[in-house]
Amino acid sequence: MQTLLPLLARGAVLSPFKRPRPDAAFPPNRLVLPGVRIDLARLAAYERACGFPTGADALPLTYPHVLGFPLAMRIMASRAFPLPLLGLVHTSIEVTRLREPAATGEYELAVHVEGLAPHRRGTEATVVTGARVDGSLVWESKSTYLARHRTAADTRTAANARTAADASTAAGARTAAHVSSAEPKPLPVVAEWRLAGDVGRRYAAVSGDRNPIHLHPLTARLFGFPRAIAHGMWTVARCLAEQPVDASVHLRAEFKSPVLLPGTVTYAADGGRFELRGGERVHLTGELREHRANSA
């Protein structure tokens, strides 16, 4: 598996020179890697780290993301990518699996940036990864990555702060009941997981993603976290390991807040919906639903 440390270093060096904005130019190229075969020993290590059963004929739903991530990093660490790699936050992922990729198959991987979009906290990039067999698409993901920066909305918010505060105070008692009733009810708890402090290091070893925020409290503190945090894709994979997943399926997951390590979280699920919580804080929400060819 390709190490990502040189790409992380390059992205870190270039980050201070990036000026993110939604209308910035982004790399138009599509990186393609043909002839990809699965290292079955590494796959088994990934399955163990995430809680999947080992030795299945098909790849776990999230594993093609791991295979394509080095290509995505090559783009995001490049000079042409307009968002700084340092501080970039993975906010969501959508996966469409048209059929189960075999663990013994051969794949062509391709990655490109679909576009940039304004976000209330900055600028968001959508990165698309696809896996093909004999020219036919079998798996595709769309990940969104957020670069936080000041926006026009921030300026308007600051200018209207006093007015908003007064209005909120006056209306608070009247709207509290409505807000409470509009919030979705928590899903039923299925299990409680105690996460060890080395979860980030173990996932880094099997995924190649050695971002320092996941590895050690000291390196995490350099980026504003009190302790190391779990990889978002590990949290998704760990939840999916507890879920029945159809061969042809669509996944949508949103990363809401970081999971500090070590720590305790609750896994909750109902049908195809699932979430990961720590006390009252929601870390992850997700939903699985059947993929229909005519809805693609």
Side-chain angles (χ1 to χ4, degrees), residues 204-240:
V206 299
S207 69
D209 183 356
R210 291 180 170 84
N211 188 319
I213 63 176
H214 304 301
L215 304 182
H216 194 276
L218 292 178
T219 53
R221 287 186 195 120
L222 296 175
F223 297 90
F225 296 101
R227 304 196 298 275
I229 65 172
H231 295 74
M233 287 304 299
W234 178 85
T235 66
V236 174
R238 184 66 188 89
C239 290
L240 291 177

Side-chain angles (χ1 to χ4, degrees), residues 150-174:
R150 288 188 63 84
T151 66
D154 293 330
T155 304
R156 290 194 299 269
T157 299
N160 296 325
R162 291 192 184 90
T163 303
D166 292 343
S168 177
T169 300
R174 187 172 60 253

Side-chain angles (χ1 to χ4, degrees), residues 2-9 69-71 73-74 207-210:
Q2 177 185 347
T3 178
L4 301 181
L5 288 177
L7 293 175
L8 280 170
F69 192 61
L71 292 179
M73 280 292 295
R74 279 179 57 188
S207 69
D209 183 356
R210 291 180 170 84

